[in-house]
Amino acid sequence: MAFGRKNEEEIKLEETKIWVCSSETCNCWVRDNFKSSDLPLCPICKSEMRQTTKELQVIHNHSKNFM
């Protein structure tokens, strides 16, 4: 018997394009495949965002509402 033993799946990480807020006081970021426009504004403070990368868990966005 294996009480308390969890069957853990390996979490797949991948270098992912993200957009980070350019404001010094805001730490918001959005995955590239979840952005709402080509040049997104921060959803929190409405500042401009800049593109960068981050190692994140793989998530697929299959919605047609996003770019």
Side-chain angles (χ1 to χ4, degrees):
M1 291 187 155
F3 293 109
R5 183 182 260 180
K6 294 182 181 178
N7 190 7
E8 296 182 22
E9 285 187 37
E10 183 180 336
I11 296 174
K12 184 177 176 186
L13 298 177
E14 185 176 273
E15 194 73 21
T16 306
K17 281 195 245 180
I18 64 168
W19 291 82
V20 295
C21 183
S22 60
S23 172
E24 294 281 330
T25 59
C26 183
N27 59 357
C28 181
W29 59 271
V30 177
R31 289 174 185 259
D32 186 62
N33 62 338
F34 283 86
K35 68 183 181 182
S36 57
S37 64
D38 287 335
L39 295 172
L41 293 177
C42 176
I44 305 296
C45 69
K46 307 302 182 207
S47 296
E48 291 184 7
M49 298 187 87
R50 58 183 168 74
Q51 189 175 10
T52 187
T53 60
K54 189 174 192 175
E55 184 112 347
L56 298 171
Q57 183 177 356
V58 176
I59 296 177
H60 299 286
N61 183 5
H62 300 290
S63 175
K64 300 292 184 209
N65 297 333
F66 295 97
M67 306 205 102

